[in-house]
Amino acid sequence: MNSGLLVSALAFWLVAWANNEWLVRRKFANRTAARAARLAVPLIFGITILVLWEGLVRGLNVPSVLLPPPSMIWARLINSLPTLWADFRQTFLKAVITGYALGCGLGFLVAIAIDRSPFLQKGLLPLGNFVSALPVIGVAPIMVMWFGFDWQSKVAVVVIMTFFPMLVNTVSGLAATSSMERDLMRTYAASWFQTLIKLRLPAAWPFIFNALKINSTLALIGAIVAEFFGTPIVGMGFRISTEVGRMNVDMVWAEIAVAALAGSVFYGAVALVERAVTFWHPSVRSARTA
């Protein structure tokens, strides 16, 4: 055991914790400084976790097969960029993006159809709730048998996972307008399509973007898990399952890091689009004035 590394890691953690407490409690008069402080707090917190992780693993001599230090994971990530890029392209660019677009798009269109048909609302929504509860580990092998081992079967899994959250949220959003607002549109002699475009769809945007943000993580999880059940010799899920069997845990963590980064960027991009589209919503206005 290396007590010096342990003490250094704990000391860094205490200093970073005190610094974050100071940043959180201080009131900045300058808006730019306040925004920089808000960005610095999670950044310092993340660096602290990495330093503490490194110090504890090396200080306690934890075997790398159980938990490799961040420096080891970083070295493996840098030295395996071609492999990681191929896996990222297979899993994220092909399966996740395609399945996400198809699943969310189909869920939105079916929700519009359900809104027009009480029969579909009473018949399809309960079925949708049932299918959305199906575990991905039960659906993935079936999709592999139907669509083959390549990325098309992963797209099918992602479509199933993203379709029903979008469907349920969009239906709920379209029903969010009050009867007084709908009566006002009728007094203007607005058609169903005009009411949808000018009133009900804008009111449903927060619900729709909520589904889009949820699906941005569900799609990545579904594609990676689906690759455990059959895939060509490329893909994040394939690499994770293969390298675990070889005891190359640093490569597993490198894939996890790439997946976490891709999922975070994807979620952040959807959140930025949401802020631009729903600028009128109270939650967005309050965040901008804070």
Side-chain angles (χ1 to χ4, degrees):
M1 183 174 65
N2 192 331
S3 57
L5 283 175
L6 290 176
V7 172
S8 299
L10 292 175
F12 184 88
W13 172 69
L14 290 174
V15 171
W17 184 281
N19 188 44
N20 267 351
E21 283 288 338
W22 178 78
L23 287 174
V24 170
R25 296 177 185 275
R26 182 172 178 180
K27 302 297 183 181
F28 293 93
N30 190 347
R31 180 174 297 181
T32 304
R35 184 173 299 176
R38 287 199 301 268
L39 293 175
V41 169
L43 182 63
I44 294 173
F45 185 77
I47 294 174
T48 304
I49 291 177
L50 293 177
V51 172
L52 195 61
W53 179 356
E54 183 83 17
L56 291 177
V57 169
R58 293 193 180 275
L60 297 175
N61 296 323
V62 178
S64 60
V65 72
L66 295 179
L67 184 63
S71 59
M72 185 177 178
I73 299 171
W74 175 256
R76 187 58 181 262
L77 191 152
I78 294 299
N79 295 326
S80 304
L81 286 178
T83 301
L84 293 171
W85 168 250
D87 294 338
F88 174 80
R89 182 176 57 189
Q90 173 75 11
T91 302
F92 192 85
L93 297 182
K94 291 183 179 180
V96 173
I97 297 299
T98 306
Y100 180 85
L102 289 175
C104 293
L106 290 173
F108 177 79
L109 294 177
V110 173
I112 298 296
I114 285 177
D115 184 70
R116 288 288 287 167
S117 172
F119 168 74
L120 290 177
Q121 188 171 7
K122 290 180 171 56
L124 188 57
L125 277 183
L127 180 63
N129 293 327
F130 171 77
V131 176
S132 63
L134 294 177
V136 62
I137 58 174
V139 174
I142 298 174
M143 296 299 104
V144 171
M145 292 175 61
W146 286 1
F147 298 100
F149 288 91
D150 210 349
W151 59 272
Q152 291 85 355
S153 58
K154 287 61 181 183
V155 169
V157 173
V158 174
V159 168
I160 293 175
M161 293 190 68
T162 58
F163 175 83
F164 292 102
M166 174 58 73
L167 173 66
V168 173
N169 276 273
T170 303
V171 170
S172 299
L174 292 174
T177 54
S178 65
S179 58
M180 184 179 298
E181 293 169 328
R182 294 191 294 271
D183 289 341
L184 179 62
M185 294 300 293
R186 280 193 287 268
T187 62
Y188 292 152
S191 64
W192 175 87
F193 183 76
Q194 290 173 325
T195 304
L196 175 69
I197 296 299
K198 297 182 180 297
L199 172 65
R200 304 182 66 205
L201 197 56
W205 278 128
F207 294 84
I208 295 171
F209 276 105
N210 183 54
L212 290 173
K213 290 187 291 187
I214 292 173
N215 286 340
S216 67
T217 55
L218 284 180
L220 185 58
I221 294 171
I224 291 176
V225 173
E227 288 180 344
F228 290 171
F229 298 93
T231 184
I233 54 173
V234 65
M236 291 181 175
F238 164 79
R239 197 73 55 195
I240 290 172
S241 61
T242 302
E243 298 301 332
V244 163
R246 297 174 178 173
M247 296 297 180
N248 294 329
V249 185
D250 54 344
M251 185 63 178
V252 174
W253 279 97
E255 290 282 356
I256 293 173
V258 172
L261 179 61
S264 299
V265 172
F266 193 16
Y267 184 95
V270 175
L272 287 176
V273 176
E274 178 187 19
R275 288 173 64 89
V277 173
T278 62
F279 59 91
W280 50 268
H281 198 265
S283 62
V284 177
R285 294 205 309 268
S286 62
R288 286 179 175 174
T289 57

